[in-house]
Each structure stands twice: as structure tokens, then as C-alpha cells.
Amino acid sequence: MNITSKLPSVGTTIFTVMSKLAADTGAINLSQGFPDFDCDPALVDAVARHMREGRNQYAPMQGVPALRQAIAAKYQSLHGAAYDPDTEVTVTSGGTEGIFDAVAAVVHPGDEVIVFEPCYDSYVPAVEVSGGKAVVISLRYPDYAVPWDEVRAAITPRTRMIMLNSPLNPAAVILDADDIAALVRLVDGTPITIMSDEVYEHIIFDGARHESMARHDVLRARSFIVGSFGKTYHVTGWKVGYVVAPAALTTEFRKLHQFVTFSTNTPIQYALAEFLTEKRGYPELSAFYQRKRDLFLELLAGSKWKPLKSRGTYFQLLDYSAITDEKDMDFALRLTKEHGVASIPTSAFLYNQSAPKVLRFCFAKKDETLKTAAERLVTL
Ligand code: GLN
């Protein structure tokens, strides 16, 4: 039976394609973003304890109260932002669910949503499946700065939302104070909402500050801020994230969340609540990943791979123009099959512009993994 596709230009996500190819060929997988080392064993013990103590039924739709309180307390202490845990914090089944629900809660057919490319591959489909139109603005290689004049020119009476991601996957750049000031000038006094994907909020390098939407009144008032415990606690497979947003936005958000997943894994929420309340893990995460970034770059020094600046996330873009003229997808496939290292081509995140000659490598890996991968890469 044939059905008319709602997403005719969407295929299988690049992360599934490249991780499968890495598995099939036995390549080192620096493609899909996930650690190849384990989480804190105490976190697993805590989950097991909550399971044994019988916390195995549905969690409240909004999330376990202790976890929502811990999330709210984190925003208060890091950003001076007050979110009501009962009406403004929702636990989701991963960041991707939070992004989808935020878009679906806000976007009506015919609405326009501004997205910046390169952008995470779920954004545009989320807009389109709600009948919205993605207005794609290009961040240009190699600095990926936001062209705020173009953003201003792209805003129309139909603009319903701006989707932001800082630190930015895949380009590893961050919004700074000037970007925030420009954004405030653009949206102040308008009905434009913001979906701010801040899942790499705790992985930010060289002493920079994470400019959360929560820090700025004009932005906080209109933002769905999406977070992810997978990135922060090395548990991407647990698929637990959250969304904080003002009460009026959260009310609409929960109308979607309650029918998309209803609620999220109960014992894991209890365990994460303990870790977050004790401020475990996230304060040292930037230093942990900065060391891995620096190790990876040291191992590649003197090779034909030219690193771009990675300011946050656990990704590093490497320019391969001194190695080959191939398109990024072709080269990523050949690099996996012939040289045993899988990466992600940035063309998967692009709509309007042609892809630069760079590949994205994930350095959330054991030092040995990074060493073996680098040994292979430097031979090119
Ligand atoms: N966020 C991860 C990445 O960019 C992928 C998550 C997924 O595969 N859905 O690599």
C-alpha cells in the first residue's frame, strides 16, 4: 500500500546510516555523538536501587517532582533564573522529543520558523510535519557567525519561532554576548517564540560562558529551553531530557508531550534527581571534554587535517581540502570503508548552501580510541 509521504525529502537519519556502516565495516565510530566509555557506576547503582525499591510504574506526566525541582534549582544557581518546577519544567524522553513537542505546540499551518544551517537534522522535519515553513538562514563556513541583518530581513508577520542551538552541533561554535544583544533587539515586543537547543550547555571550552536564554528576561519569556541528561551524564541511550519554559508555553508544550510519550522512564528520573541535586558531574564536564579535544588535536598536529575551532559540544570539524576534492558524503563513506574511521558529513545539516570540505568527528571517546583513530587519520 502506498501512502503520500508527509516528509518526502527525508531519508534515514545520517547518524543511523554512519553508525551502521561503522558497525558493518568494523570502523572506529567517531560519527554519531555518544561516549564509548561508561557513565559513573554510582548512577547505575542508583537506578538499580530505585528499580529494586519498586519505582517501576509510570512517572508523573510532567516528570518526577524531585527531578523537576533539581532542574529548577540548577537554573537558579547557574543563571539566576526562577522556573516553577510544577508549571515550568517538564522531563522528556530525550532532547529530540522536547524539540519536536515545542515546535508542534507552537507552529500552525503556514507559520514560518527561522532555522540556521547547519542545523540538527530533526529541526526542519519537525516544522514541516506541523505544516510550517522553515526559513533557512546560512551560517557561513568557517566562522559560522549568525548574520543578524539577514535574520531581521527574514522576519515577517508569519514568523512564529526561531530555532537556536548553542553550543552548535555540528559546527561547535557558541552564541556570545553580542549575539544575545542582537537577538534581544530582534524579538523584543514581537510574538516570536524561541526553541533553544542547549543540550551541550555543560560542554563549553576555554573559559567561555554558556549564554542560556534563561539569563535574559526578554529571551526567557519566550523560550523553550531544551536540555539533555544523555550528554551530561554519558548516558545517551537512556533518552532523558527536559524542557524549561514559562508557564503559558509549558501548558501548551505538555499538551503535546502527554500524547507523544506521556512520561519518561521512572527509576532513571529518581537517580538523575539525586545526581543533579548533589551537583554531580556537570561542573567538571567542560574540563573533561576540553582535555579530550586537545588530545585529539595534538594527535592530528602536522597532518593534512586542518581543525576548525571547537568552542563547545563534543565535536570537532576537520577540513580535509588538502587531502581530496571529494564531496563530504563520498569522502566520509570512503574514509569509513577504506581507512576505518567513521565521521559525519555536514551536508546532512545543510539545505541551501553546498557543503564545505569538512567532516565532523566526535571526541567523546576513550583516549585509546582517539589515539587509534588519529593513527589512521594521519596516514592520509
Ligand atoms: N545528537 C547526536 C549527534 O549529533 C545524534 C543523536 C541521534 O542519533 N539521534 O551525533
Side-chain angles (χ1 to χ4, degrees), residues 229-246:
F229 294 109
K231 275 81 179 164
T232 301
Y233 288 114
H234 314 310
V235 289
T236 61
W238 289 5
K239 295 297 296 176
V240 184
Y242 62 85
V243 170
V244 298

Side-chain angles (χ1 to χ4, degrees), residues 324-372:
T324 175
D325 275 340
E326 283 162 283
K327 290 202 165 116
D328 66 348
M329 185 67 193
D330 297 338
F331 184 43
L333 294 175
R334 191 167 69 78
L335 189 66
T336 310
K337 292 180 198 154
E338 293 180 11
H339 299 278
V341 183
S343 61
I344 295 286
T346 66
S347 49
F349 301 74
L350 295 172
Y351 293 84
N352 294 342
Q353 55 181 341
S354 55
K357 301 224 177 308
V358 285
L359 295 174
R360 190 199 83 173
F361 293 84
C362 174
F363 54 78
K365 305 292 164 188
K366 295 174 194 147
D367 291 359
E368 309 91 86
T369 309
L370 294 174
K371 280 180 194 143
T372 313

Side-chain angles (χ1 to χ4, degrees), residues 276-351:
L276 204 57
T277 304
E278 292 166 17
K279 294 192 163 69
R280 286 169 80 162
Y282 67 86
E284 58 269 22
L285 200 62
S286 290
F288 173 81
Y289 276 124
Q290 184 167 322
R291 197 195 62 76
K292 293 217 175 269
R293 176 199 67 175
D294 292 347
L295 171 68
F296 189 47
L297 292 181
E298 238 168 70
L299 292 165
L300 294 170
S303 74
K304 289 187 178 161
W305 297 92
K306 295 285 166 284
L308 276 78
K309 189 97 191 132
S310 172
R311 298 180 189 280
T313 73
Y314 42 49
F315 302 119
Q316 174 68 54
L317 289 185
L318 296 175
D319 173 338
Y320 63 80
S321 59
I323 297 171
T324 175
D325 275 340
E326 283 162 283
K327 290 202 165 116
D328 66 348
M329 185 67 193
D330 297 338
F331 184 43
L333 294 175
R334 191 167 69 78
L335 189 66
T336 310
K337 292 180 198 154
E338 293 180 11
H339 299 278
V341 183
S343 61
I344 295 286
T346 66
S347 49
F349 301 74
L350 295 172
Y351 293 84

Side-chain angles (χ1 to χ4, degrees), residues 203-217:
I203 311 177
I204 192 151
F205 305 136
D206 307 314
R209 183 172 84 177
H210 172 54
E211 293 290 349
S212 176
M213 297 299 121
R215 302 186 74 84
H216 311 276
D217 290 346

